[in-house]
């Protein structure tokens, strides 16, 4: 038996990385023989972002009114997630990226059953290493690290392949009234935002029980 978790996320959302960490912990604590499968759906928080992204200080200052206020928001994220084992390195982040290429790479990785590994590697590269995930070279290197063929990935990302498929998946999210990320569907329950590990564990256990009783 397999329980499928549907996760709608974007790579510039810090709470998506936090949710992944908490979901991983909940899955580790889950007492079941049911196989857990994660399906990732794309969502672009900044669909009009230039393809090369924008200098982060400029973008965030414009969005939030000042760089100081933007930094205070970053600090709150760090404070709220101290127990999650994530070392956010906002000081290393130079670019707010366009995430379409990263979503296309996730779609490609999914063809080889490596979507979760790919998502986690890209999010950590951005938030904990300050890497520029708009760059084809960066994404190709990250893909190689999770076992994808770098030559194939580079050719794919340098083309227009996967764009239509990703956009179609984004439309599906819109049709399901998903307006924010992270949004996680576990069994019959939809969880929005960075809830606690306990919330995810309860939802997982409920879904597994329903699956086993069916």
């Amino acid at each position: 038996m397999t329980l499928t978790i549907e996760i709608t996320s974007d790579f510039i959302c810090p709470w998506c990385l936090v949710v992944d960490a908490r979901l991983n912990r909940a899955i580790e604590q889950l007492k079941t023989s049911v196989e857990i499968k994660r399906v990732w759906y794309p969502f672009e928080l900044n669909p009009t972002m230039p393809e090369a992204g924008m200098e982060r200080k400029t973008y965030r200052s414009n969005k939030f009114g000042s760089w100081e206020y933007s930094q205070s928001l970053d600090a709150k994220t760090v404070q709220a997630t101290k127990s999650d084992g994530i070392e956010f390195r906002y000081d290393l982040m130079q670019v707010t990226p366009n995430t379409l290429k990263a979503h296309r790479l996730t779609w490609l990785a999914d063809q080889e059953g490596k979507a979760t590994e790919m998502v986690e590697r890209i999010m950590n590269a951005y938030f904990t290493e300050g890497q520029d995930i708009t760059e084809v070279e960066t994404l190709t290197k990250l893909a190689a690290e999770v076992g994808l063929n770098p030559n194939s990935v580079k050719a794919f990302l340098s083309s227009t392949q996967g764009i239509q498929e990703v956009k179609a998946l984004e439309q599906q999210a819109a049709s399901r009234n998903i307006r924010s990320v992270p949004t996680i569907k576990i069994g019959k329950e939809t969880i929005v935002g960075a809830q606690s590990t306990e919330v995810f564990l309860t939802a997982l256990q409920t879904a597994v029980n329903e699956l086993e009783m069916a």
Side-chain angles (χ1 to χ4, degrees), residues 90-199:
Y90 289 110
D91 57 312
L92 299 178
M93 294 160 64
Q94 301 297 315
V95 176
T96 295
N98 177 307
T99 56
L100 180 58
K101 285 193 189 78
H103 286 302
R104 287 169 58 211
L105 179 53
T106 302
W107 177 85
L108 181 68
D110 187 50
Q111 317 302 306
E112 298 190 33
K114 291 182 177 290
T116 296
E117 294 96 319
M118 196 70 258
V119 168
E120 291 180 339
R121 186 65 194 97
I122 296 170
M123 285 198 292
N124 277 292
Y126 179 57
F127 282 111
T128 73
E129 299 162 17
Q131 295 199 48
D132 183 357
I133 59 169
T134 59
E135 296 275 356
V136 169
E137 294 292 342
T138 300
L139 291 172
T140 299
K141 178 174 65 71
L142 297 175
E145 288 176 19
V146 302
L148 299 183
N149 182 293
N151 294 327
S152 300
V153 168
K154 189 171 184 178
F156 172 82
L157 290 175
S158 300
S159 73
T160 57
Q161 288 180 275
I163 293 177
Q164 282 188 325
E165 289 83 354
V166 166
K167 293 295 183 183
L169 290 169
E170 290 176 347
Q171 284 299 316
Q172 285 183 33
S175 69
R176 298 200 306 274
N177 290 318
I178 293 173
R179 298 283 179 260
S180 64
V181 290
T183 297
I184 306 96
K185 189 171 187 296
I186 302 174
K188 296 173 183 174
E189 186 171 356
T190 298
I191 299 169
V192 179
Q195 304 301 325
S196 66
T197 299
E198 290 70 31
V199 167

Side-chain angles (χ1 to χ4, degrees), residues 9-166:
S9 66
D10 194 12
F11 293 100
I12 59 167
C13 167
W15 301 107
C16 291
L17 178 56
V18 172
V19 156
D20 182 67
R22 293 176 183 175
L23 196 53
N24 281 337
R25 280 204 301 277
I27 290 169
E28 285 171 12
Q29 294 172 33
L30 189 63
K31 294 174 174 59
T32 182
S33 58
V34 170
E35 183 186 346
I36 306 294
K37 179 185 178 184
R38 275 177 267 194
V39 177
W40 297 87
Y41 289 101
F43 190 103
E44 289 179 81
L45 286 164
N46 289 324
T48 60
M49 176 67 69
E51 186 179 353
M54 279 181 68
E55 199 258 340
R56 187 171 189 267
K57 186 173 182 179
T58 301
Y59 171 76
R60 298 273 295 185
S61 298
N62 290 339
K63 181 174 181 177
F64 294 112
S66 74
W67 179 234
E68 290 70 28
Y69 183 60
S70 167
Q71 288 181 303
S72 75
L73 294 176
D74 291 343
K76 284 179 182 176
T77 306
V78 172
Q79 188 66 33
T81 58
K82 273 190 169 179
S83 62
D84 290 294
I86 301 166
E87 188 185 355
F88 284 100
R89 290 300 305 271
Y90 289 110
D91 57 312
L92 299 178
M93 294 160 64
Q94 301 297 315
V95 176
T96 295
N98 177 307
T99 56
L100 180 58
K101 285 193 189 78
H103 286 302
R104 287 169 58 211
L105 179 53
T106 302
W107 177 85
L108 181 68
D110 187 50
Q111 317 302 306
E112 298 190 33
K114 291 182 177 290
T116 296
E117 294 96 319
M118 196 70 258
V119 168
E120 291 180 339
R121 186 65 194 97
I122 296 170
M123 285 198 292
N124 277 292
Y126 179 57
F127 282 111
T128 73
E129 299 162 17
Q131 295 199 48
D132 183 357
I133 59 169
T134 59
E135 296 275 356
V136 169
E137 294 292 342
T138 300
L139 291 172
T140 299
K141 178 174 65 71
L142 297 175
E145 288 176 19
V146 302
L148 299 183
N149 182 293
N151 294 327
S152 300
V153 168
K154 189 171 184 178
F156 172 82
L157 290 175
S158 300
S159 73
T160 57
Q161 288 180 275
I163 293 177
Q164 282 188 325
E165 289 83 354
V166 166

